[in-house]
Amino acid sequence: FFYFVRLCLDKILLQCVLQSRTLSGADAINALRPFYFAVHPDFFGQHPKEREVNENSLKRLNGYLENLQKPGFRSFKPTQLTFYVREREPNSSNVQESFSASGFRAVSFTLHTRDLLSTVLDILNSCSLSTEHVQSLNVNSQSHKEAKSTVNRPIKWDKTYYSFTGFKDPEEELEQAQRVETTLISWLDDNEASAVKKLKKSLPLRKELERLKIELSHELQLSDIRWQRSWGIAHRCSQLHSLGRLVQQRPEILKNVKGRTVVFTDRSGMSAAGHIMLGTMDVHHHWTKIFERLPNYYKLQKRLLLLEDRISQLLGGIQVIYIEELQPLLTLEEYYETLNSFYNKLRDSRLPFHPRSLRGLQMILESDRYAPSLHEFGHFMIPTVCDPAALQWFIFAKAQEARENLKRKEEMMITEKELIDTSTERFSLDRLYKEPSVSSAQMIDCCKRLLEESLPYLQGMHLCISHFYSVLQDGDLCIPWNWK
């Protein structure tokens, strides 16, 4: 009896030690301010792929932190997260190699801690951020020091205590959590039923969405209707209904949309790619103004194409392109200003490029890069602030590699499409697609490994290749491209 009482007292003392080190939810948020500042999606507006990865990872991190604060919550699974962390001083001379030319680096880490303080410290340390400010928060560190001097060794509970009382051994639970790694099979086992239920519920809306899209495309003679973000099916249907009502109310203003693509996005206007953007938060009045301005937009687009040709002539025939998947969704006006500024800089520098010496090569302009780079698909990524002399040297040095990458891109795109078609047929998928942040090389690797597996769970499903595991609200299954 006395042995049991002593064990209980020791347990109470240990709880006091642990409680003295805990953080409140508000303290945790304050402690993570440097982290949020370094990864917040709003700072990645010029990098849609990295922005999407950070948005998704923050959602999962917030869910993990919320669970830590739930009373009695005991079921913890290791959570792997990937963030793109901004460099605080892009022009610093001691930039690590892990930083990209854009001023950020990718960081991946796994959370398996069971209290807020340890979790906060793990996050900050994983991102190489200072933890000194954590000590200044409202944490009873003095109590912790006093308790630590009293209990100068970690308490090791005898295994018979847990057998006798029925309590779970926290050390054993933590070891098991660390050993357990989410695998594709185990995750599908746990989530297939939920995905099937959501998918069945969404089927009527999916048919309605397809019907509305076909009818509006035919009526307005549109080339396509797209969405910038992965909104749910119900949200997309609502947007198409709104456009349909505008067609009925003001058919005369829609006479200039023939052959164009409509994109539902965050703001209204015309995109750099020449697509009509309809802001989802705007009312019909704003949409009407956009349709009325289309003739003026088309004139500006012709001037923009002429500007691209002039830049091409100054750079030996290299083609200036705009890639929606890799660049931010700029308006036509914003992109024209970027091109014009770059053109004036080139014209004044008078670089000695031989005419047509770089024909067949491609480049995109980016306003927030600090150094030129060459993409795996063969196009040059040129910052608008790039020094002309450095630009000339870089293009000459990388021209042959760029041509090889362009050739490899064509082969890779064919391989990717073949693997998607083969995987879709093999697993009887209704649809197989990837997020923009997943590269072709990653998609190819993912599909090749999928084809080596037997996955009856996937029949009739919508499978999205992403960077994390998730079941979307309409039943789409998201799996990381590098699944285990």
Side-chain angles (χ1 to χ4, degrees):
F1 173 77
F2 289 106
Y3 174 71
F4 178 71
V5 170
R6 184 187 172 206
L7 286 176
C8 291
L9 290 173
D10 283 347
K11 183 179 180 183
I12 293 171
L13 179 59
L14 177 62
Q15 287 177 338
C16 291
V17 173
L18 293 176
Q19 287 172 359
S20 71
R21 303 179 61 202
T22 59
L23 291 178
S24 68
D27 285 337
I29 291 175
N30 286 331
L32 287 174
R33 284 185 186 277
F35 166 75
Y36 288 129
F37 182 76
V39 305
H40 200 283
D42 287 351
F43 293 110
F44 289 79
Q46 302 295 315
H47 299 278
K49 294 197 310 183
E50 289 76 11
R51 177 190 177 101
E52 185 175 4
V53 170
N54 282 12
E55 283 179 345
N56 292 328
S57 294
L58 279 175
K59 290 177 184 176
R60 301 177 67 223
L61 172 61
N62 290 336
Y64 189 93
L65 295 176
E66 287 175 6
N67 285 336
L68 284 177
Q69 299 173 68
K70 291 180 180 177
F73 189 84
R74 301 183 63 84
S75 177
F76 284 88
K77 293 184 179 179
T79 300
Q80 184 173 5
L81 300 173
T82 296
F83 285 99
Y84 286 93
V85 181
R86 293 193 307 133
E87 180 188 358
R88 283 175 295 179
E89 298 180 6
N91 298 320
S92 176
S93 59
N94 61 347
V95 178
Q96 300 177 11
E97 292 182 1
S98 56
F99 286 112
S100 73
S102 299
F104 52 76
R105 58 190 170 94
V107 173
S108 296
F109 54 90
T110 301
L111 294 178
H112 46 68
T113 44
R114 304 173 69 85
D115 65 271
L116 281 174
L117 178 59
S118 300
T119 303
V120 166
L121 292 175
D122 273 4
I123 293 170
L124 295 174
N125 287 324
S126 298
C127 297
S128 302
L129 297 172
S130 173
T131 59
E132 293 181 3
H133 64 287
V134 179
Q135 304 300 326
S136 64
L137 297 174
N138 187 22
V139 180
N140 191 358
S141 56
Q142 185 62 36
S143 300
H144 167 52
K145 291 178 181 177
E146 293 174 359
K148 189 173 182 180
S149 63
T150 305
V151 186
N152 55 9
R153 62 175 177 81
I155 297 178
K156 201 81 170 172
W157 297 101
D158 191 280
K159 300 299 179 183
T160 56
Y161 167 73
Y162 298 105
S163 301
F164 179 77
T165 61
F167 291 118
K168 292 184 178 181
D169 185 344
E171 288 187 0
E172 185 177 325
E173 280 189 302
L174 181 58
E175 289 174 3
Q176 289 177 352
Q178 292 173 342
R179 288 196 300 266
V180 174
E181 185 175 17
T182 302
T183 64
L184 178 61
I185 301 298
S186 65
W187 187 81
L188 289 174
D189 279 338
D190 294 339
N191 293 277
E192 180 203 10
S194 170
V196 169
K197 182 178 179 181
K198 291 180 178 180
L199 180 61
K200 286 182 177 178
K201 185 179 179 180
S202 74
L203 288 179
L205 276 176
R206 289 180 187 271
K207 291 180 180 178
E208 173 71 1
L209 179 67
E210 189 64 22
R211 182 188 67 80
L212 290 170
K213 186 176 177 180
I214 292 174
E215 287 183 359
L216 281 171
S217 296
H218 177 73
E219 185 174 1
L220 300 176
Q221 300 183 59
L222 296 172
S223 174
D224 195 10
I225 297 177
R226 301 179 191 170
W227 285 264
Q228 179 197 9
R229 297 188 180 278
S230 53
W231 285 297
I233 304 298
H235 196 172
R236 296 187 181 201
C237 284
S238 175
Q239 292 159 0
L240 290 185
H241 278 300
S242 293
L243 180 58
R245 286 193 296 270
L246 182 59
V247 172
Q248 298 300 320
Q249 296 168 6
R250 299 288 305 275
E252 74 282 357
I253 66 169
L254 297 164
K255 59 184 178 181
N256 295 314
V257 301
K258 181 179 179 180
R260 294 283 169 168
T261 292
V262 168
V263 181
F264 289 97
T265 181
D266 295 329
R267 51 181 175 167
S268 298
M270 178 167 279
S271 73
H275 303 325
I276 301 167
M277 301 190 304
L278 299 181
T280 56
M281 299 302 291
D282 292 338
V283 295
H284 282 182
H285 174 68
H286 295 101
W287 289 6
T288 300
K289 284 188 175 181
I290 296 302
F291 288 122
E292 289 174 344
R293 292 175 187 163
L294 285 180
N296 291 330
Y297 279 127
Y298 296 156
K299 290 178 183 178
L300 180 59
Q301 189 178 27
K302 288 181 180 179
R303 292 169 55 194
L304 185 146
L305 294 174
L306 181 61
L307 201 52
E308 287 181 338
D309 287 340
R310 289 176 177 171
I311 293 174
S312 177
Q313 291 171 10
L314 292 174
L315 293 178
I318 190 171
Q319 182 186 8
V320 183
I321 60 174
Y322 178 84
I323 305 177
E324 287 182 282
E325 294 79 9
L326 298 178
Q327 295 181 256
L329 193 62
L330 299 175
T331 64
L332 199 66
E333 299 93 331
E334 291 169 341
Y335 190 49
Y336 181 85
E337 289 300 319
T338 299
L339 286 172
N340 192 49
S341 174
F342 185 71
Y343 169 71
N344 291 331
K345 190 172 185 178
L346 280 180
R347 184 187 57 189
D348 296 339
S349 65
R350 298 184 180 182
L351 294 176
F353 282 99
H354 189 279
R356 297 185 296 278
S357 61
L358 298 177
R359 287 186 66 181
L361 296 182
Q362 300 173 337
M363 61 168 278
I364 65 174
L365 278 176
E366 296 202 340
S367 59
D368 63 346
R369 283 187 174 270
Y370 306 104
S373 62
L374 179 63
H375 194 270
E376 62 173 339
F377 278 174
H379 58 265
F380 289 97
M381 305 175 76
I382 306 299
T384 54
V385 296
C386 184
D387 175 67
L391 171 63
Q392 180 187 14
W393 177 87
F394 184 81
I395 292 179
F396 280 148
K398 296 286 186 178
Q400 183 56 37
E401 184 181 349
R403 296 187 191 278
E404 294 171 358
N405 285 7
L406 282 170
K407 184 178 179 180
R408 193 181 306 118
K409 169 191 173 182
E410 296 176 4
E411 299 170 352
M412 191 177 293
M413 298 296 283
I414 293 173
T415 302
E416 181 182 11
K417 185 179 185 308
E418 289 176 348
L419 285 171
I420 290 175
D421 292 342
T422 303
S423 301
T424 301
E425 182 179 355
R426 163 77 181 278
F427 300 115
S428 300
L429 288 164
D430 194 67
R431 185 188 178 202
L432 173 59
Y433 63 104
K434 68 174 184 178
E435 289 186 344
S437 55
V438 177
S439 69
S440 291
Q442 292 170 337
M443 186 67 171
I444 289 172
D445 175 71
C446 177
C447 289
K448 283 182 176 178
R449 293 190 298 114
L450 280 175
L451 289 169
E452 297 174 357
E453 302 291 326
S454 175
L455 301 169
Y457 318 82
L458 300 180
Q459 184 173 355
M461 301 302 293
H462 292 243
L463 181 64
C464 174
I465 307 304
S466 176
H467 294 274
F468 58 93
Y469 288 103
S470 178
V471 177
L472 302 184
Q473 61 181 355
D474 294 305
D476 295 47
L477 289 166
C478 289
I479 66 171
W481 69 270
N482 56 346
W483 54 269
K484 305 297 183 183

